[in-house]
Amino acid sequence: MSSTKPLMFVLGAGLLLSAGACQQKDETPLGPGTGYMPGTPGGNPDGGNTGADGGVALGRPCTTAGGCEGACSDGGTFCAGNCGFLAPVAYQFPTSAGLGDLVAVDVDGDGYEDLLTVNNLDEAVALLRNQGDGTFAAPALIPASKPDALRVEDLDGDGVKDLAVVSGTSGTLSIHPGNGNGSFRAPASIAVGSGASELVVAPLDGTGGLDIAVLRSDAGELVLMRGAGDGSFQESGRIELPGSMSSLLAADLTVDGRMDLAFSGPSECDGGSTCSQVSVLRGNGDGTFLPEQLTLVSGQVGGQVVGELNVDARPDLVLATGEEDGGTALVLLGLGDGTFRPTFSYAAGRNPRSPVLADIDRDGVPDLLVLEQEDDQVGLYLGRQDGSFSPRVPLRATSLASPRPYKMVASDFDKDGKQDLAVITRTNFLHLLWGTCR
């Protein structure tokens, strides 16, 4: 590819695409193996979504023609370009933003997952609609009072996705009823207390409806909100936590059909070393919980994710731990009683966070991706059936200098059968990495 100045392509109002040195591609339909065929993702021999001219088509970067078996550092993944992903593409937010939490969910019912992120400084939730090809329209702003975290679920049982948002500044949980077309009605807000930082939506009380748990991290408190099934919620209790906690999740960790809650936070270790505790509140099935079960791990937790990594039908955890001097991806195999056994440990980049489980190489086994904030990378670990992973393969996470990546989600945004990645940065960019592994 010739060396030219970087280009910026506009994808809707206020939305910019950083395309490096690529040229615009002619989008005339061509036969398989000869170039890009609009509407047929993955139709080219390199497994990508563009042709082999080094240009850009429909907002996607180009890859080299032909396969590149062995291009990944593990030598075992058949992929193209950025070790199984096209080079990152940047979507710039037009305002100051203050981006944070990120979810992928179909809010308009077209079968393609959209992206929503909190937009704290503009007091809004930003919705980026999937345009049906894995690219996204300019963000539409949904007014919200200093949002810190969000979840999207059908909270009133009408078959339409609704939006739940917490704000640490206003100390509220706000429920925005959905219209089914990607728009939302004015919210009803409930006071939960200042410092609300995270939330989970799950059936906590055994009635079949959805309830909400709100984490007040700085206050060291969990607020339980019981759902009435009509989109309204009422506080049902508060649980004092052992300090400032984070990484809240809900899952049946005890394999008894009842939802449990898990979170992590700092703990005291012998010798003054940095360590953390993973705390599990075992659910009674009626919205109440037993005293916490603790599992101690080394390092500072930057995020955790739950999944079944081996074949014992017990949920397992993966933690991203560490700080600016280096990190670790830690696998905790579940014992089925709310406790875990640290089993596998893998080197990660600096300040790891936002671990994600997704089947990247399509072998039916979950793979692990960890966002490495200080290195501007994603660490990819291919999964094995015993719950272990292959050594880390670094991927380029963003297309800009000093981006400070913060949160990541995985989904097949373009419906080509390959997992794609979306990465939010603290510098107000969304970066898309379309998957090419096959």
Side-chain angles (χ1 to χ4, degrees):
M1 186 185 300
S2 61
S3 176
T4 60
K5 294 183 179 180
L7 304 176
M8 300 295 285
F9 293 93
V10 178
L11 297 180
L15 196 61
L16 300 179
L17 165 64
S18 176
C22 295
Q23 303 297 317
Q24 183 68 29
K25 170 114 170 64
D26 180 5
E27 295 175 4
T28 304
L30 301 172
T34 58
Y36 182 78
M37 182 177 291
T40 313
N44 296 321
D46 63 1
N49 299 100
T50 59
D53 65 347
V56 171
L58 296 187
R60 299 167 186 266
C62 292
T63 61
T64 304
C68 61
E69 190 167 9
C72 294
S73 60
D74 67 357
T77 302
F78 188 54
C79 60
N82 188 25
C83 192
F85 294 88
L86 298 180
V89 170
Y91 288 70
Q92 184 177 22
F93 283 73
T95 58
S96 54
L99 306 180
D101 202 7
L102 176 68
V103 299
V105 62
D106 179 12
V107 297
D108 53 14
D110 65 354
Y112 288 83
E113 290 199 322
D114 311 296
L115 289 169
L116 295 96
T117 181
V118 296
N119 195 334
N120 188 282
L121 296 182
D122 290 322
E123 300 201 35
V125 169
L127 165 62
L128 291 89
R129 292 195 194 211
N130 193 321
Q131 301 186 107
D133 59 2
T135 62
F136 294 85
L141 299 184
I142 304 165
S145 176
K146 292 286 185 181
D148 287 289
L150 62 91
R151 289 294 180 267
V152 179
E153 298 284 352
D154 179 8
L155 300 176
D156 53 14
D158 64 353
V160 172
K161 292 291 195 298
D162 309 302
L163 173 64
V165 181
V166 293
S167 168
T169 302
S170 64
T172 57
L173 164 67
S174 298
I175 308 298
H176 302 245
N179 294 316
N181 60 0
S183 66
F184 298 87
R185 300 191 292 279
S189 296
I190 311 162
V192 293
S194 62
S197 56
E198 300 180 33
L199 77 161
V200 293
V201 179
L204 301 177
D205 62 6
T207 63
L210 292 175
D211 310 298
I212 295 177
V214 177
L215 178 64
R216 297 179 62 207
S217 180
D218 292 341
E221 186 177 61
L222 195 63
V223 184
L224 303 176
M225 308 295 296
R226 177 168 288 151
D230 59 359
S232 65
F233 293 84
Q234 184 175 4
E235 183 179 322
S236 60
R238 296 187 177 228
I239 299 174
E240 184 178 353
L241 305 179
S244 179
M245 299 287 124
S246 62
S247 303
L248 178 66
L249 59 84
D252 181 8
L253 300 173
T254 52
V255 201
D256 60 0
R258 302 167 181 173
M259 296 300 291
D260 310 303
L261 296 172
F263 43 85
S264 60
S267 185
E268 295 183 1
C269 290
D270 294 337
S273 59
T274 301
C275 70
S276 301
Q277 64 183 42
V278 176
S279 302
V280 173
L281 296 174
R282 293 164 294 162
N284 290 315
D286 59 359
T288 64
F289 295 85
L290 295 173
E292 60 184 334
Q293 301 255 58
L294 301 180
T295 302
L296 293 178
V297 298
S298 61
Q300 177 178 309
V301 176
Q304 63 185 11
V305 63
V306 63
E308 187 178 335
L309 303 181
N310 49 16
V311 293
D312 63 359
R314 299 169 180 170
D316 310 302
L317 291 178
V318 180
L319 277 62
T321 70
E323 300 182 61
E324 294 184 2
D325 57 351
T328 300
L330 183 61
V331 177
L332 281 66
L333 294 184
L335 301 180
D337 61 357
T339 62
F340 299 85
R341 175 168 51 90
T343 308
F344 303 109
S345 178
Y346 303 92
R350 296 179 297 166
N351 200 9
R353 60 183 307 114
S354 192
V356 171
L357 292 171
D359 187 4
I360 301 300
D361 56 5
R362 299 190 295 167
D363 63 352
V365 178
D367 306 308
L368 172 65
L369 302 111
V370 177
L371 193 60
E372 300 167 353
Q373 191 173 60
E374 295 299 323
D375 296 319
D376 183 24
Q377 292 183 154
V378 173
L380 168 62
Y381 307 78
L382 298 179
R384 302 181 178 121
Q385 291 187 345
D386 63 354
S388 66
F389 293 90
S390 65
R392 166 181 168 271
V393 176
L395 313 178
R396 184 184 174 193
T398 68
S399 57
L400 303 172
S402 303
R404 298 285 296 174
Y406 178 74
K407 191 75 182 253
M408 172 175 60
V409 296
S411 179
D412 183 7
F413 292 117
D414 53 9
K415 301 298 182 186
D416 67 349
K418 308 176 184 72
Q419 290 289 304
D420 312 305
L421 299 180
V423 177
I424 280 287
T425 73
R426 287 300 201 188
T427 51
N428 301 330
F429 281 87
L430 169 71
H431 297 260
L432 265 295
L433 289 79
W434 288 281
T436 63
C437 273
R438 53 185 176 173

